[in-house]
Amino acid sequence: MTVPYKTCLLIDDNYIDNFVTRRILEASHFAEQIIVRQSPAEAINSLRDGVIKPDVIFLDIRMPMMSGFEFLQEYDQLGISKSDIKIFMLSSSLDPVDMRQSESNKYITQFIHKPLTIKALEELSA
């Protein structure tokens, strides 16, 4: 079985959402390695320091201390190559402003509603 991605970074403050999403990612063999960060600031530091070099990032919007959009502002300032990294906004938000902001962000590949499903992953990998 071919694994679409080498390293997947999941950024979400909710432990249960991370648990469920990670299990779905593992069950679908989406990536060789799945790394979870509950803090966007911790994820930024890991990316800046080169500790994590993801091919794909799943990013929540609504998180305390730093939102997904604030993460993207920090991400934009990182001196790392971003051309090979796909970012999927994974959120339960139904706010049309969030969706428009996701669609207009140059780093967001696609907005996906929680919960993540195997069907949604299959469509991403196709």
mmCIF file of all heavy atoms in Angstrom, residues 63-108:
data_model
loop_
_atom_site.group_PDB
_atom_site.id
_atom_site.type_symbol
_atom_site.label_atom_id
_atom_site.label_comp_id
_atom_site.label_asym_id
_atom_site.label_seq_id
_atom_site.Cartn_x
_atom_site.Cartn_y
_atom_site.Cartn_z
ATOM 1 N N MET A 63 -8.788 27.981 18.589
ATOM 2 C CA MET A 63 -7.931 27.476 19.659
ATOM 3 C C MET A 63 -7.583 28.644 20.578
ATOM 4 O O MET A 63 -7.467 29.777 20.121
ATOM 5 C CB MET A 63 -6.652 26.863 19.081
ATOM 6 C CG MET A 63 -6.900 25.631 18.224
ATOM 7 S SD MET A 63 -5.390 24.944 17.515
ATOM 8 C CE MET A 63 -5.147 26.033 16.115
ATOM 9 N N PRO A 64 -7.411 28.362 21.883
ATOM 10 C CA PRO A 64 -7.041 29.444 22.796
ATOM 11 C C PRO A 64 -5.601 29.890 22.550
ATOM 12 O O PRO A 64 -4.797 29.135 22.022
ATOM 13 C CB PRO A 64 -7.193 28.805 24.186
ATOM 14 C CG PRO A 64 -7.041 27.344 23.952
ATOM 15 C CD PRO A 64 -7.553 27.086 22.561
ATOM 16 N N MET A 65 -5.305 31.097 22.903
ATOM 17 C CA MET A 65 -3.969 31.686 22.797
ATOM 18 C C MET A 65 -3.589 32.055 21.362
ATOM 19 O O MET A 65 -3.066 33.106 21.111
ATOM 20 C CB MET A 65 -2.882 30.794 23.412
ATOM 21 C CG MET A 65 -3.156 30.350 24.834
ATOM 22 S SD MET A 65 -3.303 31.716 25.986
ATOM 23 C CE MET A 65 -1.612 32.116 26.239
ATOM 24 N N MET A 66 -3.841 31.169 20.396
ATOM 25 C CA MET A 66 -3.506 31.436 18.999
ATOM 26 C C MET A 66 -4.488 30.670 18.112
ATOM 27 O O MET A 66 -4.564 29.447 18.192
ATOM 28 C CB MET A 66 -2.070 30.998 18.700
ATOM 29 C CG MET A 66 -1.624 31.265 17.274
ATOM 30 S SD MET A 66 0.020 30.588 16.863
ATOM 31 C CE MET A 66 1.097 31.670 17.763
ATOM 32 N N SER A 67 -5.207 31.383 17.274
ATOM 33 C CA SER A 67 -6.153 30.722 16.369
ATOM 34 C C SER A 67 -5.396 30.119 15.181
ATOM 35 O O SER A 67 -4.209 30.384 14.979
ATOM 36 C CB SER A 67 -7.177 31.732 15.852
ATOM 37 O OG SER A 67 -6.572 32.612 14.909
ATOM 38 N N GLY A 68 -6.121 29.358 14.386
ATOM 39 C CA GLY A 68 -5.522 28.815 13.172
ATOM 40 C C GLY A 68 -5.063 29.907 12.224
ATOM 41 O O GLY A 68 -4.014 29.801 11.585
ATOM 42 N N PHE A 69 -5.822 30.996 12.149
ATOM 43 C CA PHE A 69 -5.439 32.101 11.268
ATOM 44 C C PHE A 69 -4.223 32.852 11.809
ATOM 45 O O PHE A 69 -3.370 33.294 11.034
ATOM 46 C CB PHE A 69 -6.621 33.037 11.029
ATOM 47 C CG PHE A 69 -7.734 32.377 10.265
ATOM 48 C CD1 PHE A 69 -8.969 32.179 10.854
ATOM 49 C CD2 PHE A 69 -7.547 31.927 8.972
ATOM 50 C CE1 PHE A 69 -10.004 31.556 10.162
ATOM 51 C CE2 PHE A 69 -8.554 31.302 8.258
ATOM 52 C CZ PHE A 69 -9.791 31.114 8.864
ATOM 53 N N GLU A 70 -4.131 32.969 13.121
ATOM 54 C CA GLU A 70 -2.935 33.581 13.717
ATOM 55 C C GLU A 70 -1.714 32.681 13.494
ATOM 56 O O GLU A 70 -0.611 33.163 13.238
ATOM 57 C CB GLU A 70 -3.154 33.839 15.209
ATOM 58 C CG GLU A 70 -4.160 34.937 15.465
ATOM 59 C CD GLU A 70 -4.629 35.004 16.906
ATOM 60 O OE1 GLU A 70 -4.710 33.950 17.581
ATOM 61 O OE2 GLU A 70 -4.922 36.124 17.355
ATOM 62 N N PHE A 71 -1.936 31.366 13.561
ATOM 63 C CA PHE A 71 -0.859 30.424 13.240
ATOM 64 C C PHE A 71 -0.353 30.679 11.823
ATOM 65 O O PHE A 71 0.852 30.714 11.576
ATOM 66 C CB PHE A 71 -1.360 28.969 13.360
ATOM 67 C CG PHE A 71 -0.418 27.956 12.766
ATOM 68 C CD1 PHE A 71 0.600 27.405 13.521
ATOM 69 C CD2 PHE A 71 -0.543 27.569 11.430
ATOM 70 C CE1 PHE A 71 1.479 26.480 12.964
ATOM 71 C CE2 PHE A 71 0.332 26.650 10.870
ATOM 72 C CZ PHE A 71 1.348 26.111 11.642
ATOM 73 N N LEU A 72 -1.276 30.874 10.885
ATOM 74 C CA LEU A 72 -0.890 31.093 9.492
ATOM 75 C C LEU A 72 -0.086 32.382 9.316
ATOM 76 O O LEU A 72 0.814 32.442 8.474
ATOM 77 C CB LEU A 72 -2.124 31.093 8.591
ATOM 78 C CG LEU A 72 -2.791 29.726 8.441
ATOM 79 C CD1 LEU A 72 -4.163 29.861 7.804
ATOM 80 C CD2 LEU A 72 -1.910 28.769 7.655
ATOM 81 N N GLN A 73 -0.397 33.403 10.109
ATOM 82 C CA GLN A 73 0.390 34.642 10.062
ATOM 83 C C GLN A 73 1.823 34.378 10.533
ATOM 84 O O GLN A 73 2.783 34.860 9.917
ATOM 85 C CB GLN A 73 -0.266 35.721 10.929
ATOM 86 C CG GLN A 73 -1.559 36.235 10.359
ATOM 87 C CD GLN A 73 -2.300 37.153 11.321
ATOM 88 O OE1 GLN A 73 -2.007 37.228 12.507
ATOM 89 N NE2 GLN A 73 -3.284 37.861 10.795
ATOM 90 N N GLU A 74 1.970 33.607 11.607
ATOM 91 C CA GLU A 74 3.295 33.250 12.107
ATOM 92 C C GLU A 74 4.015 32.337 11.097
ATOM 93 O O GLU A 74 5.206 32.483 10.848
ATOM 94 C CB GLU A 74 3.198 32.542 13.460
ATOM 95 C CG GLU A 74 2.693 33.413 14.579
ATOM 96 C CD GLU A 74 3.735 34.408 15.049
ATOM 97 O OE1 GLU A 74 4.927 34.065 15.079
ATOM 98 O OE2 GLU A 74 3.345 35.548 15.374
ATOM 99 N N TYR A 75 3.265 31.411 10.546
ATOM 100 C CA TYR A 75 3.798 30.468 9.558
ATOM 101 C C TYR A 75 4.365 31.219 8.355
ATOM 102 O O TYR A 75 5.426 30.871 7.830
ATOM 103 C CB TYR A 75 2.664 29.523 9.140
ATOM 104 C CG TYR A 75 2.991 28.512 8.079
ATOM 105 C CD1 TYR A 75 3.663 27.339 8.396
ATOM 106 C CD2 TYR A 75 2.597 28.704 6.753
ATOM 107 C CE1 TYR A 75 3.940 26.384 7.427
ATOM 108 C CE2 TYR A 75 2.864 27.759 5.782
ATOM 109 C CZ TYR A 75 3.533 26.606 6.126
ATOM 110 O OH TYR A 75 3.815 25.662 5.151
ATOM 111 N N ASP A 76 3.674 32.263 7.947
ATOM 112 C CA ASP A 76 4.107 33.069 6.812
ATOM 113 C C ASP A 76 5.488 33.678 7.051
ATOM 114 O O ASP A 76 6.254 33.871 6.107
ATOM 115 C CB ASP A 76 3.082 34.169 6.536
ATOM 116 C CG ASP A 76 3.382 34.946 5.273
ATOM 117 O OD1 ASP A 76 3.560 34.322 4.211
ATOM 118 O OD2 ASP A 76 3.451 36.187 5.350
ATOM 119 N N GLN A 77 5.805 33.958 8.307
ATOM 120 C CA GLN A 77 7.074 34.589 8.655
ATOM 121 C C GLN A 77 8.224 33.596 8.818
ATOM 122 O O GLN A 77 9.378 34.004 8.948
ATOM 123 C CB GLN A 77 6.920 35.395 9.956
ATOM 124 C CG GLN A 77 5.844 36.463 9.895
ATOM 125 C CD GLN A 77 6.073 37.473 8.784
ATOM 126 O OE1 GLN A 77 7.169 37.990 8.638
ATOM 127 N NE2 GLN A 77 5.045 37.738 7.993
ATOM 128 N N LEU A 78 7.916 32.309 8.836
ATOM 129 C CA LEU A 78 8.961 31.297 9.010
ATOM 130 C C LEU A 78 9.883 31.256 7.795
ATOM 131 O O LEU A 78 9.417 31.329 6.661
ATOM 132 C CB LEU A 78 8.349 29.906 9.216
ATOM 133 C CG LEU A 78 7.602 29.661 10.520
ATOM 134 C CD1 LEU A 78 7.003 28.265 10.510
ATOM 135 C CD2 LEU A 78 8.513 29.839 11.716
ATOM 136 N N GLY A 79 11.149 31.092 8.045
ATOM 137 C CA GLY A 79 12.124 30.990 6.968
ATOM 138 C C GLY A 79 12.313 29.560 6.516
ATOM 139 O O GLY A 79 13.438 29.074 6.442
ATOM 140 N N ILE A 80 11.210 28.876 6.238
ATOM 141 C CA ILE A 80 11.270 27.492 5.760
ATOM 142 C C ILE A 80 10.602 27.408 4.394
ATOM 143 O O ILE A 80 9.795 28.254 4.039
ATOM 144 C CB ILE A 80 10.576 26.508 6.738
ATOM 145 C CG1 ILE A 80 9.075 26.827 6.850
ATOM 146 C CG2 ILE A 80 11.242 26.525 8.108
ATOM 147 C CD1 ILE A 80 8.252 25.786 7.574
ATOM 148 N N SER A 81 10.938 26.361 3.663
ATOM 149 C CA SER A 81 10.294 26.134 2.369
ATOM 150 C C SER A 81 8.857 25.675 2.616
ATOM 151 O O SER A 81 8.623 24.720 3.351
ATOM 152 C CB SER A 81 11.057 25.078 1.581
ATOM 153 O OG SER A 81 10.349 24.759 0.407
ATOM 154 N N LYS A 82 7.920 26.350 2.011
ATOM 155 C CA LYS A 82 6.508 26.028 2.203
ATOM 156 C C LYS A 82 5.864 25.449 0.945
ATOM 157 O O LYS A 82 4.718 25.030 0.974
ATOM 158 C CB LYS A 82 5.755 27.291 2.641
ATOM 159 C CG LYS A 82 6.284 27.879 3.938
ATOM 160 C CD LYS A 82 5.632 29.221 4.213
ATOM 161 C CE LYS A 82 6.257 29.907 5.389
ATOM 162 N NZ LYS A 82 7.478 30.609 5.081
ATOM 163 N N SER A 83 6.603 25.407 -0.135
ATOM 164 C CA SER A 83 6.021 25.020 -1.418
ATOM 165 C C SER A 83 5.529 23.575 -1.456
ATOM 166 O O SER A 83 4.608 23.259 -2.209
ATOM 167 C CB SER A 83 7.019 25.256 -2.544
ATOM 168 O OG SER A 83 8.183 24.485 -2.346
ATOM 169 N N ASP A 84 6.117 22.701 -0.654
ATOM 170 C CA ASP A 84 5.719 21.297 -0.679
ATOM 171 C C ASP A 84 4.801 20.909 0.479
ATOM 172 O O ASP A 84 4.540 19.731 0.693
ATOM 173 C CB ASP A 84 6.954 20.401 -0.664
ATOM 174 C CG ASP A 84 7.784 20.551 -1.932
ATOM 175 O OD1 ASP A 84 7.204 20.897 -2.975
ATOM 176 O OD2 ASP A 84 9.003 20.334 -1.875
ATOM 177 N N ILE A 85 4.317 21.894 1.243
ATOM 178 C CA ILE A 85 3.467 21.613 2.398
ATOM 179 C C ILE A 85 2.026 21.983 2.072
ATOM 180 O O ILE A 85 1.728 23.112 1.692
ATOM 181 C CB ILE A 85 3.934 22.397 3.648
ATOM 182 C CG1 ILE A 85 5.385 22.052 3.997
ATOM 183 C CG2 ILE A 85 3.010 22.103 4.828
ATOM 184 C CD1 ILE A 85 5.962 22.894 5.128
ATOM 185 N N LYS A 86 1.139 21.009 2.214
ATOM 186 C CA LYS A 86 -0.291 21.256 2.031
ATOM 187 C C LYS A 86 -0.904 21.483 3.409
ATOM 188 O O LYS A 86 -0.633 20.732 4.346
ATOM 189 C CB LYS A 86 -0.975 20.058 1.375
ATOM 190 C CG LYS A 86 -0.616 19.872 -0.063
ATOM 191 C CD LYS A 86 -1.414 18.735 -0.656
ATOM 192 C CE LYS A 86 -1.065 18.568 -2.117
ATOM 193 N NZ LYS A 86 -1.855 17.516 -2.754
ATOM 194 N N ILE A 87 -1.739 22.522 3.510
ATOM 195 C CA ILE A 87 -2.423 22.786 4.769
ATOM 196 C C ILE A 87 -3.922 22.666 4.541
ATOM 197 O O ILE A 87 -4.494 23.324 3.657
ATOM 198 C CB ILE A 87 -2.086 24.180 5.327
ATOM 199 C CG1 ILE A 87 -0.576 24.296 5.594
ATOM 200 C CG2 ILE A 87 -2.880 24.431 6.611
ATOM 201 C CD1 ILE A 87 -0.139 25.648 6.123
ATOM 202 N N PHE A 88 -4.541 21.816 5.354
ATOM 203 C CA PHE A 88 -5.986 21.642 5.323
ATOM 204 C C PHE A 88 -6.554 22.223 6.608
ATOM 205 O O PHE A 88 -6.144 21.843 7.699
ATOM 206 C CB PHE A 88 -6.364 20.161 5.207
ATOM 207 C CG PHE A 88 -5.868 19.528 3.946
ATOM 208 C CD1 PHE A 88 -4.759 18.704 3.960
ATOM 209 C CD2 PHE A 88 -6.511 19.763 2.739
ATOM 210 C CE1 PHE A 88 -4.289 18.116 2.791
ATOM 211 C CE2 PHE A 88 -6.043 19.191 1.562
ATOM 212 C CZ PHE A 88 -4.938 18.364 1.589
ATOM 213 N N MET A 89 -7.475 23.174 6.489
ATOM 214 C CA MET A 89 -8.142 23.741 7.647
ATOM 215 C C MET A 89 -9.192 22.734 8.061
ATOM 216 O O MET A 89 -10.113 22.437 7.278
ATOM 217 C CB MET A 89 -8.757 25.096 7.289
ATOM 218 C CG MET A 89 -9.227 25.884 8.475
ATOM 219 S SD MET A 89 -7.923 26.365 9.620
ATOM 220 C CE MET A 89 -7.327 27.865 8.857
ATOM 221 N N LEU A 90 -9.057 22.162 9.238
ATOM 222 C CA LEU A 90 -9.973 21.137 9.745
ATOM 223 C C LEU A 90 -10.715 21.736 10.933
ATOM 224 O O LEU A 90 -10.129 21.936 11.996
ATOM 225 C CB LEU A 90 -9.188 19.894 10.165
ATOM 226 C CG LEU A 90 -9.981 18.722 10.730
ATOM 227 C CD1 LEU A 90 -10.948 18.180 9.683
ATOM 228 C CD2 LEU A 90 -9.035 17.628 11.201
ATOM 229 N N SER A 91 -11.983 22.057 10.743
ATOM 230 C CA SER A 91 -12.708 22.799 11.765
ATOM 231 C C SER A 91 -14.176 22.424 11.810
ATOM 232 O O SER A 91 -14.749 21.989 10.813
ATOM 233 C CB SER A 91 -12.576 24.300 11.495
ATOM 234 O OG SER A 91 -13.298 25.051 12.442
ATOM 235 N N SER A 92 -14.768 22.632 12.969
ATOM 236 C CA SER A 92 -16.211 22.451 13.115
ATOM 237 C C SER A 92 -16.950 23.767 12.879
ATOM 238 O O SER A 92 -18.170 23.819 12.954
ATOM 239 C CB SER A 92 -16.541 21.901 14.506
ATOM 240 O OG SER A 92 -16.018 22.751 15.497
ATOM 241 N N SER A 93 -16.223 24.818 12.583
ATOM 242 C CA SER A 93 -16.825 26.133 12.367
ATOM 243 C C SER A 93 -17.753 26.128 11.157
ATOM 244 O O SER A 93 -17.416 25.607 10.097
ATOM 245 C CB SER A 93 -15.734 27.188 12.153
ATOM 246 O OG SER A 93 -16.309 28.423 11.807
ATOM 247 N N LEU A 94 -18.910 26.741 11.343
ATOM 248 C CA LEU A 94 -19.852 26.934 10.245
ATOM 249 C C LEU A 94 -19.925 28.407 9.855
ATOM 250 O O LEU A 94 -20.745 28.800 9.025
ATOM 251 C CB LEU A 94 -21.249 26.435 10.654
ATOM 252 C CG LEU A 94 -21.340 24.949 10.982
ATOM 253 C CD1 LEU A 94 -22.732 24.604 11.503
ATOM 254 C CD2 LEU A 94 -20.994 24.092 9.784
ATOM 255 N N ASP A 95 -19.053 29.196 10.432
ATOM 256 C CA ASP A 95 -19.014 30.634 10.190
ATOM 257 C C ASP A 95 -18.558 30.906 8.756
ATOM 258 O O ASP A 95 -17.448 30.532 8.368
ATOM 259 C CB ASP A 95 -18.056 31.276 11.188
ATOM 260 C CG ASP A 95 -18.047 32.797 11.128
ATOM 261 O OD1 ASP A 95 -18.466 33.368 10.097
ATOM 262 O OD2 ASP A 95 -17.603 33.407 12.106
ATOM 263 N N PRO A 96 -19.396 31.564 7.957
ATOM 264 C CA PRO A 96 -19.018 31.860 6.566
ATOM 265 C C PRO A 96 -17.749 32.715 6.467
ATOM 266 O O PRO A 96 -17.005 32.601 5.502
ATOM 267 C CB PRO A 96 -20.215 32.609 5.992
ATOM 268 C CG PRO A 96 -21.318 32.456 6.965
ATOM 269 C CD PRO A 96 -20.751 32.025 8.270
ATOM 270 N N VAL A 97 -17.493 33.542 7.463
ATOM 271 C CA VAL A 97 -16.272 34.360 7.475
ATOM 272 C C VAL A 97 -15.042 33.451 7.552
ATOM 273 O O VAL A 97 -14.052 33.669 6.838
ATOM 274 C CB VAL A 97 -16.295 35.375 8.643
ATOM 275 C CG1 VAL A 97 -14.962 36.102 8.752
ATOM 276 C CG2 VAL A 97 -17.434 36.357 8.476
ATOM 277 N N ASP A 98 -15.110 32.417 8.402
ATOM 278 C CA ASP A 98 -13.999 31.462 8.506
ATOM 279 C C ASP A 98 -13.759 30.758 7.174
ATOM 280 O O ASP A 98 -12.621 30.575 6.737
ATOM 281 C CB ASP A 98 -14.264 30.418 9.593
ATOM 282 C CG ASP A 98 -14.141 30.978 10.993
ATOM 283 O OD1 ASP A 98 -13.505 32.045 11.166
ATOM 284 O OD2 ASP A 98 -14.664 30.333 11.928
ATOM 285 N N MET A 99 -14.830 30.379 6.525
ATOM 286 C CA MET A 99 -14.701 29.671 5.248
ATOM 287 C C MET A 99 -14.109 30.584 4.171
ATOM 288 O O MET A 99 -13.225 30.162 3.431
ATOM 289 C CB MET A 99 -16.047 29.111 4.812
ATOM 290 C CG MET A 99 -16.497 27.981 5.698
ATOM 291 S SD MET A 99 -18.060 27.322 5.121
ATOM 292 C CE MET A 99 -18.561 26.442 6.564
ATOM 293 N N ARG A 100 -14.590 31.829 4.109
ATOM 294 C CA ARG A 100 -14.043 32.774 3.128
ATOM 295 C C ARG A 100 -12.574 33.070 3.420
ATOM 296 O O ARG A 100 -11.760 33.140 2.505
ATOM 297 C CB ARG A 100 -14.854 34.073 3.130
ATOM 298 C CG ARG A 100 -16.127 33.995 2.326
ATOM 299 C CD ARG A 100 -16.723 35.356 2.064
ATOM 300 N NE ARG A 100 -16.987 36.130 3.271
ATOM 301 C CZ ARG A 100 -18.099 36.059 3.998
ATOM 302 N NH1 ARG A 100 -19.062 35.235 3.633
ATOM 303 N NH2 ARG A 100 -18.257 36.803 5.067
ATOM 304 N N GLN A 101 -12.249 33.232 4.693
ATOM 305 C CA GLN A 101 -10.864 33.514 5.064
ATOM 306 C C GLN A 101 -9.967 32.324 4.716
ATOM 307 O O GLN A 101 -8.837 32.504 4.264
ATOM 308 C CB GLN A 101 -10.784 33.829 6.566
ATOM 309 C CG GLN A 101 -9.504 34.525 6.962
ATOM 310 C CD GLN A 101 -9.565 35.041 8.398
ATOM 311 O OE1 GLN A 101 -10.600 35.012 9.069
ATOM 312 N NE2 GLN A 101 -8.449 35.510 8.879
ATOM 313 N N SER A 102 -10.477 31.120 4.877
ATOM 314 C CA SER A 102 -9.714 29.918 4.499
ATOM 315 C C SER A 102 -9.493 29.871 2.992
ATOM 316 O O SER A 102 -8.401 29.575 2.519
ATOM 317 C CB SER A 102 -10.450 28.648 4.941
ATOM 318 O OG SER A 102 -10.495 28.555 6.324
ATOM 319 N N GLU A 103 -10.556 30.147 2.248
ATOM 320 C CA GLU A 103 -10.478 30.105 0.786
ATOM 321 C C GLU A 103 -9.517 31.150 0.229
ATOM 322 O O GLU A 103 -8.873 30.914 -0.793
ATOM 323 C CB GLU A 103 -11.866 30.314 0.176
ATOM 324 C CG GLU A 103 -12.791 29.145 0.385
ATOM 325 C CD GLU A 103 -14.233 29.446 -0.002
ATOM 326 O OE1 GLU A 103 -14.514 30.552 -0.507
ATOM 327 O OE2 GLU A 103 -15.083 28.561 0.204
ATOM 328 N N SER A 104 -9.403 32.276 0.908
ATOM 329 C CA SER A 104 -8.545 33.345 0.389
ATOM 330 C C SER A 104 -7.099 33.259 0.891
ATOM 331 O O SER A 104 -6.239 33.988 0.398
ATOM 332 C CB SER A 104 -9.133 34.708 0.756
ATOM 333 O OG SER A 104 -9.089 34.914 2.156
ATOM 334 N N ASN A 105 -6.828 32.356 1.823
ATOM 335 C CA ASN A 105 -5.464 32.235 2.341
ATOM 336 C C ASN A 105 -4.610 31.427 1.377
ATOM 337 O O ASN A 105 -4.981 30.318 0.982
ATOM 338 C CB ASN A 105 -5.474 31.585 3.723
ATOM 339 C CG ASN A 105 -4.112 31.608 4.360
ATOM 340 O OD1 ASN A 105 -3.223 30.849 3.985
ATOM 341 N ND2 ASN A 105 -3.931 32.487 5.324
ATOM 342 N N LYS A 106 -3.455 31.963 1.027
ATOM 343 C CA LYS A 106 -2.596 31.310 0.028
ATOM 344 C C LYS A 106 -2.034 29.970 0.486
ATOM 345 O O LYS A 106 -1.605 29.176 -0.349
ATOM 346 C CB LYS A 106 -1.455 32.244 -0.382
ATOM 347 C CG LYS A 106 -0.463 32.561 0.730
ATOM 348 C CD LYS A 106 0.597 33.524 0.251
ATOM 349 C CE LYS A 106 1.559 33.918 1.352
ATOM 350 N NZ LYS A 106 2.542 34.889 0.898
ATOM 351 N N TYR A 107 -2.043 29.704 1.783
ATOM 352 C CA TYR A 107 -1.486 28.443 2.276
ATOM 353 C C TYR A 107 -2.515 27.330 2.425
ATOM 354 O O TYR A 107 -2.156 26.160 2.465
ATOM 355 C CB TYR A 107 -0.782 28.655 3.617
ATOM 356 C CG TYR A 107 0.420 29.563 3.513
ATOM 357 C CD1 TYR A 107 0.449 30.790 4.162
ATOM 358 C CD2 TYR A 107 1.519 29.208 2.739
ATOM 359 C CE1 TYR A 107 1.547 31.628 4.066
ATOM 360 C CE2 TYR A 107 2.618 30.045 2.627
ATOM 361 C CZ TYR A 107 2.629 31.247 3.296
ATOM 362 O OH TYR A 107 3.710 32.079 3.181
ATOM 363 N N ILE A 108 -3.784 27.699 2.505
ATOM 364 C CA ILE A 108 -4.832 26.699 2.728
ATOM 365 C C ILE A 108 -5.183 26.011 1.415
ATOM 366 O O ILE A 108 -5.588 26.643 0.453
ATOM 367 C CB ILE A 108 -6.106 27.338 3.334
ATOM 368 C CG1 ILE A 108 -5.797 28.014 4.663
ATOM 369 C CG2 ILE A 108 -7.210 26.297 3.495
ATOM 370 C CD1 ILE A 108 -5.371 27.090 5.756
#
